[in-house]
Amino acid sequence: MELTLWTYEGPPHVGAMRVATALRDVHYVLHAPQGDTYADLLFTMIERRPARPPVTYTTFQARDLGRDTAELFQNACRAAFERFRPAALLVGASCTAELIQDDPGGLATALDLPVPVIPLELPAYQKKENWGAAETFYQLVRALAGPHAPPPGTKRPPRPQGRKPRANLLGPTALGFRHRDDPQEVEKLLDLLGVEVAVVAPLGASVADLARLGEADLNVVLYPEIGLPAARYLERTFGQPWTKTVPIGLGASRDFLREVADLLGLDPEPAIARVAPRARWWSLSVDSTYLTGKRVFVFGDATHAIAAARVAREELGFEVVGLGTYSREFAREVREAARAIGLEALVTDDYLEVEAAIAELAPELVLGTQMERHVAKRLGIACAVISAPVHVQDFPARYAPQMGAEGANVLFDTWVHPLMMGLEEHLLQMFREDFEFHDGAPPSHLAATGPARPRPPAEPVPAAAEGSVRWTPEAEKELAKIPFFVRGKARRNTERFARERRLPVITLETLYEAKAHFGR
């Protein structure tokens, strides 16, 4: 067993909670000990949801294990139904309660409640959160839409003359990264093609909405980690095609329009011409020449990592030096995306491996999760969050999608601004000894009437590790002039250069020689 301080995904029952919380009239009875109720805080504190998740816990304690915990679970089901009157009931066990083997599904079915009861078998010690969300959504779709399926072998009828095409949007959940805003942008894209949105699920959907999923002409899979199993089931059962392109970034948004148009027999070109993010001026600006070729490390769930790598390379002119994911179920797709740009994908759920890769590659920008944000902060590297897991600051009050035209604008702001601020900070450090910038300098014309504000001390350059080569003060001073986001790499390269040549002291000349050597 390995002790982990951070984890990219929670247990699968947290994924089930995300789906249940996203739906309007579903309740989830979770067989769990008292301590497992911590999961409520993910929604009320992190997502800032104004109400508790629709989850009833049995909250058994140690003394209950010597009695009938099955009866405890059935009593909780009855009480939850009488109190909340849901249109459907999900039942399952947490990772701890799974060891008791009480069979929540069988116990709940025996109650003969007047609503659909959907048992969830979520192997907590083999699977994780996103898989749990995908399995829960699939079981709901199968239980609620399945009874309305046509007989096997029935050919799907053509769309009635005069009716607009309809699409379902599959995958957004509670506690999802920008899941609240993305469907609105995708709906705008579909509207450009004249396609109506029938159901968005699970976020905001009801049991009745899930029952009519099979009526649409197309399923749009926004987040494959969650919506893909349900989309495949609907394709097998109702003959509905589903989209493979996730519209994150300008290029992918246009590809998405082409794919939808091809599946529905429409002309995409008028719609494509109307997708024009405000960030297009970037390629014509002077600023772009400063940041073109910046080295970027990308890590997150498979959907966002693959999309971010494409946007970074094709739309912002960055160089992707690392690409990885913690989504092992989609490792093949990430490896293919990495191979296409000449990289070997990093597939791991160990944040320490990710930290080691970032330190080794020394990128100038990290695009990752909240854990990579902490890592990048320690290493002095600019960072932007592109994927769950996220913290409260990544659930902004403002409208901040990742998909569609406005999503492309948000990506531009989120990724470019850390680099621009880093450049500004470097310039301030570089000129901190100038007569106009030092602490005793008179105030500028913008603050002529007030005293000069004290400046924060310059960021110290970390000393070399014990046993390594020694730096002269002049060399340390020169090293401090290098931008902070590449200073660590410059230090390591210079020390390696000195060790290889058995130089005990790094002087100014050594620093310049190392720069010339590694710059060849």
Side-chain angles (χ1 to χ4, degrees), residues 321-342:
V321 297
L323 174 60
T325 185
Y326 58 83
S327 303
R328 294 186 180 275
E329 292 87 354
F330 293 85
R332 178 180 299 175
E333 289 82 351
V334 176
R335 287 192 175 104
E336 289 176 356
R339 195 177 302 115
I341 56 177

Short mmCIF file of all heavy atoms in Angstrom, two decimals, residues 321-342:
data_model
loop_
_atom_site.label_atom_id
_atom_site.label_comp_id
_atom_site.label_asym_id
_atom_site.label_seq_id
_atom_site.Cartn_x
_atom_site.Cartn_y
_atom_site.Cartn_z
N VAL A 321 6.51 20.37 -24.90
CA VAL A 321 7.66 19.52 -24.57
C VAL A 321 7.27 18.33 -23.70
O VAL A 321 8.09 17.44 -23.48
CB VAL A 321 8.76 20.33 -23.87
CG1 VAL A 321 9.30 21.41 -24.80
CG2 VAL A 321 8.24 20.95 -22.57
N GLY A 322 6.03 18.31 -23.22
CA GLY A 322 5.56 17.19 -22.41
C GLY A 322 4.05 17.11 -22.47
O GLY A 322 3.37 18.15 -22.46
N LEU A 323 3.52 15.89 -22.54
CA LEU A 323 2.07 15.68 -22.61
C LEU A 323 1.74 14.43 -21.83
O LEU A 323 2.36 13.38 -22.02
CB LEU A 323 1.61 15.53 -24.07
CG LEU A 323 0.15 15.18 -24.30
CD1 LEU A 323 -0.78 16.22 -23.71
CD2 LEU A 323 -0.12 15.00 -25.80
N GLY A 324 0.77 14.54 -20.92
CA GLY A 324 0.42 13.37 -20.12
C GLY A 324 -0.98 13.45 -19.56
O GLY A 324 -1.67 14.47 -19.67
N THR A 325 -1.40 12.35 -18.92
CA THR A 325 -2.73 12.26 -18.35
C THR A 325 -2.74 11.28 -17.19
O THR A 325 -1.88 10.39 -17.10
CB THR A 325 -3.75 11.78 -19.40
OG1 THR A 325 -5.07 11.80 -18.84
CG2 THR A 325 -3.46 10.35 -19.85
N TYR A 326 -3.72 11.47 -16.30
CA TYR A 326 -3.98 10.49 -15.25
C TYR A 326 -5.13 9.57 -15.63
O TYR A 326 -5.47 8.66 -14.90
CB TYR A 326 -4.28 11.19 -13.93
CG TYR A 326 -5.47 12.14 -13.98
CD1 TYR A 326 -6.77 11.68 -13.85
CD2 TYR A 326 -5.28 13.51 -14.15
CE1 TYR A 326 -7.85 12.55 -13.90
CE2 TYR A 326 -6.34 14.38 -14.20
CZ TYR A 326 -7.63 13.89 -14.08
OH TYR A 326 -8.71 14.76 -14.13
N SER A 327 -5.78 9.83 -16.77
CA SER A 327 -6.92 9.04 -17.23
C SER A 327 -6.44 7.78 -17.94
O SER A 327 -6.26 7.76 -19.17
CB SER A 327 -7.81 9.87 -18.18
OG SER A 327 -8.23 11.06 -17.55
N ARG A 328 -6.21 6.72 -17.17
CA ARG A 328 -5.65 5.50 -17.75
C ARG A 328 -6.59 4.86 -18.76
O ARG A 328 -6.13 4.18 -19.69
CB ARG A 328 -5.31 4.51 -16.63
CG ARG A 328 -4.19 4.98 -15.72
CD ARG A 328 -3.78 3.93 -14.71
NE ARG A 328 -2.71 4.39 -13.84
CZ ARG A 328 -1.42 4.33 -14.13
NH1 ARG A 328 -1.06 3.83 -15.30
NH2 ARG A 328 -0.51 4.77 -13.28
N GLU A 329 -7.90 5.06 -18.62
CA GLU A 329 -8.85 4.49 -19.58
C GLU A 329 -8.68 5.10 -20.97
O GLU A 329 -9.10 4.51 -21.97
CB GLU A 329 -10.29 4.71 -19.11
CG GLU A 329 -10.67 3.93 -17.86
CD GLU A 329 -10.32 4.67 -16.58
OE1 GLU A 329 -9.66 5.74 -16.68
OE2 GLU A 329 -10.67 4.20 -15.48
N PHE A 330 -8.05 6.28 -21.04
CA PHE A 330 -7.85 6.95 -22.33
C PHE A 330 -6.36 7.11 -22.64
O PHE A 330 -5.96 8.01 -23.37
CB PHE A 330 -8.54 8.31 -22.33
CG PHE A 330 -10.04 8.23 -22.28
CD1 PHE A 330 -10.70 8.10 -21.07
CD2 PHE A 330 -10.79 8.26 -23.44
CE1 PHE A 330 -12.08 8.00 -21.01
CE2 PHE A 330 -12.17 8.18 -23.40
CZ PHE A 330 -12.82 8.04 -22.18
N ALA A 331 -5.56 6.21 -22.09
CA ALA A 331 -4.12 6.30 -22.30
C ALA A 331 -3.75 6.16 -23.78
O ALA A 331 -2.83 6.83 -24.26
CB ALA A 331 -3.41 5.23 -21.48
N ARG A 332 -4.48 5.31 -24.51
CA ARG A 332 -4.14 5.10 -25.92
C ARG A 332 -4.30 6.39 -26.71
O ARG A 332 -3.43 6.74 -27.53
CB ARG A 332 -5.06 4.02 -26.51
CG ARG A 332 -4.82 3.77 -28.00
CD ARG A 332 -5.75 2.70 -28.53
NE ARG A 332 -5.54 1.43 -27.84
CZ ARG A 332 -6.29 0.35 -28.05
NH1 ARG A 332 -7.28 0.39 -28.91
NH2 ARG A 332 -6.02 -0.77 -27.39
N GLU A 333 -5.39 7.11 -26.46
CA GLU A 333 -5.61 8.36 -27.20
C GLU A 333 -4.54 9.40 -26.90
O GLU A 333 -4.07 10.11 -27.79
CB GLU A 333 -7.00 8.93 -26.86
CG GLU A 333 -8.16 8.13 -27.43
CD GLU A 333 -8.55 6.92 -26.59
OE1 GLU A 333 -7.81 6.58 -25.63
OE2 GLU A 333 -9.60 6.31 -26.88
N VAL A 334 -4.13 9.48 -25.64
CA VAL A 334 -3.10 10.45 -25.27
C VAL A 334 -1.75 10.05 -25.85
O VAL A 334 -0.98 10.90 -26.33
CB VAL A 334 -3.02 10.60 -23.74
CG1 VAL A 334 -1.89 11.53 -23.34
CG2 VAL A 334 -4.35 11.11 -23.19
N ARG A 335 -1.46 8.76 -25.84
CA ARG A 335 -0.19 8.31 -26.44
C ARG A 335 -0.15 8.62 -27.93
O ARG A 335 0.89 9.00 -28.47
CB ARG A 335 0.00 6.82 -26.18
CG ARG A 335 0.34 6.47 -24.73
CD ARG A 335 0.80 5.04 -24.59
NE ARG A 335 1.25 4.75 -23.23
CZ ARG A 335 0.54 4.07 -22.34
NH1 ARG A 335 -0.65 3.58 -22.68
NH2 ARG A 335 0.99 3.87 -21.13
N GLU A 336 -1.27 8.44 -28.61
CA GLU A 336 -1.31 8.75 -30.05
C GLU A 336 -1.10 10.24 -30.29
O GLU A 336 -0.37 10.64 -31.21
CB GLU A 336 -2.65 8.30 -30.64
CG GLU A 336 -2.80 6.79 -30.73
CD GLU A 336 -4.18 6.37 -31.23
OE1 GLU A 336 -5.03 7.28 -31.44
OE2 GLU A 336 -4.41 5.16 -31.41
N ALA A 337 -1.73 11.08 -29.45
CA ALA A 337 -1.56 12.53 -29.60
C ALA A 337 -0.12 12.93 -29.33
O ALA A 337 0.44 13.79 -30.03
CB ALA A 337 -2.51 13.26 -28.65
N ALA A 338 0.51 12.32 -28.33
CA ALA A 338 1.91 12.63 -28.03
C ALA A 338 2.83 12.15 -29.15
O ALA A 338 3.76 12.86 -29.55
CB ALA A 338 2.30 11.99 -26.70
N ARG A 339 2.56 10.95 -29.65
CA ARG A 339 3.40 10.40 -30.72
C ARG A 339 3.35 11.29 -31.97
O ARG A 339 4.36 11.45 -32.67
CB ARG A 339 2.94 8.98 -31.05
CG ARG A 339 3.94 8.18 -31.88
CD ARG A 339 3.45 6.76 -32.11
NE ARG A 339 3.20 6.06 -30.85
CZ ARG A 339 2.00 5.66 -30.45
NH1 ARG A 339 0.94 5.87 -31.21
NH2 ARG A 339 1.85 5.02 -29.30
N ALA A 340 2.19 11.89 -32.21
CA ALA A 340 2.04 12.73 -33.40
C ALA A 340 2.91 13.98 -33.35
O ALA A 340 3.22 14.57 -34.39
CB ALA A 340 0.57 13.13 -33.57
N ILE A 341 3.32 14.39 -32.15
CA ILE A 341 4.19 15.57 -32.04
C ILE A 341 5.59 15.19 -31.55
O ILE A 341 6.34 16.04 -31.07
CB ILE A 341 3.56 16.64 -31.12
CG1 ILE A 341 3.25 16.07 -29.73
CG2 ILE A 341 2.30 17.21 -31.73
CD1 ILE A 341 2.70 17.10 -28.76
N GLY A 342 5.90 13.91 -31.67
CA GLY A 342 7.25 13.45 -31.37
C GLY A 342 7.57 13.31 -29.90
O GLY A 342 8.74 13.41 -29.51
#
